[in-house]
Amino acid sequence: MNWISDILRPRIKTLFSKIKEVPENLWTPCPKCSTLLYKKNIDEHMNVCSKCDFHMALDRQERFATLFDDKKFTEIEIPDVPADPLDFKDLKKYEARLKDARDETKEKDSASVAFGKIDGSDAVVFILDFAFMGGSMAAYVGEAMISAAKTAIKKKAPLIAITTSGGARMQEGIISLMQMARTTLAVNMVRDAKLPYIMILANPTFGGVSASFAMLGDVEIAEKGAIIGFAGRRVIEQAIKHKLPPEFQTAEYLMQQGDVDLVVHRHGLKSTLSNIIKILMGSK
């Protein structure tokens, strides 16, 4: 018997075959502190780093699941809009960019609306998801916000909006800017029905989104550490020729300036919303 070929080599092959069976995505680094985090632990902690408390991105389905009771909710159908109203093309046709984003996210566009219960209270939740073309605001987003408002009025429920967005979608030009007015109209529909409109600013929220419906909440909540503004830090510094403080545009800085009412850790967001809904809806 040859010890190397008959015993050692088979054992090495067995060892390497077991290593290959281990999934590659078991660990992921925190974007802020670079600590390697066990993927299962991240999921259990709502994508919050256990080392530095950085709030990582949550996709819309994960956000719905963290807010609604027993992770149960009904998604509201959004009316279709023209796919490429301006026949826009830069390095790539807009239709092709939309297809790529839809294939990658398995979602129709950057916004989704769902109805369910938050600690027993009815609620309609609108989400703008950065994962789809930077959460950009297009005609579909305006339709989604109006659908959310109509659903809230029909159900006599508060409307909660959560944003992660870079602003208006340049591929839809003036049409995307018109959604600033349409989303504001949707907020006014909810107010006219004397229902609460609660805003949650997540990381990041910028541009035409922050300049319209994102800053119109009856209660303005920001997730801990979220970056919120209109233009980016670099653009502002170049314009004013002055260095901005490190905390500029953070949720905590905006609260100090009176621009938001609360800064809430993601783990406490559902209970905070539950309390606010019960108070504003007059529940016992």
Side-chain angles (χ1 to χ4, degrees), residues 259-279:
D259 292 318
V260 300
D261 300 304
L262 294 169
V263 175
V264 179
H265 193 287
R266 188 176 290 164
H267 294 167
L269 189 55
K270 181 176 179 177
S271 61
T272 300
L273 279 174
S274 172
N275 289 334
I276 291 172
I277 290 170
K278 286 177 169 60
I279 290 169

Side-chain angles (χ1 to χ4, degrees), residues 90-146:
D90 44 73
L91 296 176
K92 197 174 188 179
K93 282 189 68 67
Y94 178 38
E95 279 187 308
R97 291 192 185 279
L98 278 175
K99 184 181 184 304
D100 289 346
R102 287 168 179 167
D103 290 344
E104 185 177 344
T105 63
K106 310 303 179 190
E107 299 285 356
K108 196 171 181 181
D109 210 290
S110 57
S112 290
V113 181
F115 171 76
K117 291 186 180 293
I118 297 177
D119 280 345
S121 299
D122 288 347
V124 176
V125 178
F126 165 98
I127 290 179
L128 198 51
D129 186 1
F130 196 86
F132 192 105
M133 295 186 73
S136 49
M137 183 166 62
Y140 186 91
V141 174
E143 288 293 340
M145 193 63 172
I146 289 174

Side-chain angles (χ1 to χ4, degrees), residues 2-282:
N2 189 312
W3 184 81
I4 293 177
S5 60
D6 296 342
I7 299 176
L8 185 59
R9 188 173 294 169
R11 288 186 178 180
I12 292 174
K13 285 183 177 180
T14 302
L15 177 62
F16 274 94
S17 65
K18 288 181 179 179
I19 292 174
K20 288 179 182 178
E21 290 171 6
V22 177
E24 295 180 0
N25 61 345
L26 279 179
W27 299 85
T28 187
C30 169
K32 186 175 181 180
C33 69
S34 300
T35 299
L36 273 179
L37 303 168
Y38 186 42
K39 187 67 169 63
K40 186 178 179 181
N41 288 344
I42 297 175
D43 295 339
E44 290 174 352
H45 288 84
M46 301 183 189
N47 284 19
V48 176
C49 177
S50 56
K51 180 76 172 180
C52 70
D53 214 31
F54 179 72
H55 286 40
M56 291 174 272
L58 272 178
D59 67 38
R60 67 191 83 185
Q61 298 301 324
E62 290 171 326
R63 282 198 177 274
F64 284 142
T66 62
L67 292 178
F68 288 119
D69 296 349
D70 302 321
K71 301 181 180 180
K72 293 180 180 178
F73 54 90
T74 302
E75 289 203 52
I76 307 303
E77 188 174 348
I78 313 301
D80 287 329
V81 297
D84 186 4
L86 302 180
D87 193 24
F88 189 93
K89 182 180 180 181
D90 44 73
L91 296 176
K92 197 174 188 179
K93 282 189 68 67
Y94 178 38
E95 279 187 308
R97 291 192 185 279
L98 278 175
K99 184 181 184 304
D100 289 346
R102 287 168 179 167
D103 290 344
E104 185 177 344
T105 63
K106 310 303 179 190
E107 299 285 356
K108 196 171 181 181
D109 210 290
S110 57
S112 290
V113 181
F115 171 76
K117 291 186 180 293
I118 297 177
D119 280 345
S121 299
D122 288 347
V124 176
V125 178
F126 165 98
I127 290 179
L128 198 51
D129 186 1
F130 196 86
F132 192 105
M133 295 186 73
S136 49
M137 183 166 62
Y140 186 91
V141 174
E143 288 293 340
M145 193 63 172
I146 289 174
S147 296
K150 288 179 177 178
T151 304
I153 294 165
K154 182 180 178 181
K155 302 286 188 181
K156 294 181 172 57
L159 173 57
I160 300 162
I162 307 172
T163 53
T164 55
S165 174
R169 188 173 299 172
M170 70 171 190
Q171 289 89 348
E172 293 195 15
I174 190 65
I175 294 172
S176 66
L177 296 179
M178 288 176 181
Q179 307 316 307
M180 296 173 67
R182 297 188 75 219
T183 53
T184 300
L185 173 65
V187 172
N188 287 337
M189 288 166 57
V190 174
R191 287 205 174 124
D192 289 344
K194 302 189 184 309
L195 293 167
Y197 172 57
I198 303 167
M199 190 65 227
I200 300 169
L201 303 157
N203 184 44
T205 298
F206 274 89
V209 172
S210 65
S212 56
F213 71 94
M215 286 298 177
L216 296 178
D218 298 317
V219 181
E220 288 281 333
I221 301 170
E223 271 197 339
K224 180 181 178 183
I227 304 300
I228 304 153
F230 179 70
R233 168 189 287 270
R234 185 180 62 180
V235 173
I236 298 172
E237 287 181 339
Q238 288 175 348
I240 66 175
K241 309 298 182 187
H242 185 73
K243 193 75 174 173
L244 295 166
E247 70 278 9
F248 181 72
Q249 293 184 325
T250 62
E252 292 74 13
Y253 180 83
L254 265 64
M255 185 171 175
Q256 290 174 6
Q257 307 305 314
D259 292 318
V260 300
D261 300 304
L262 294 169
V263 175
V264 179
H265 193 287
R266 188 176 290 164
H267 294 167
L269 189 55
K270 181 176 179 177
S271 61
T272 300
L273 279 174
S274 172
N275 289 334
I276 291 172
I277 290 170
K278 286 177 169 60
I279 290 169
L280 296 182
M281 294 297 289

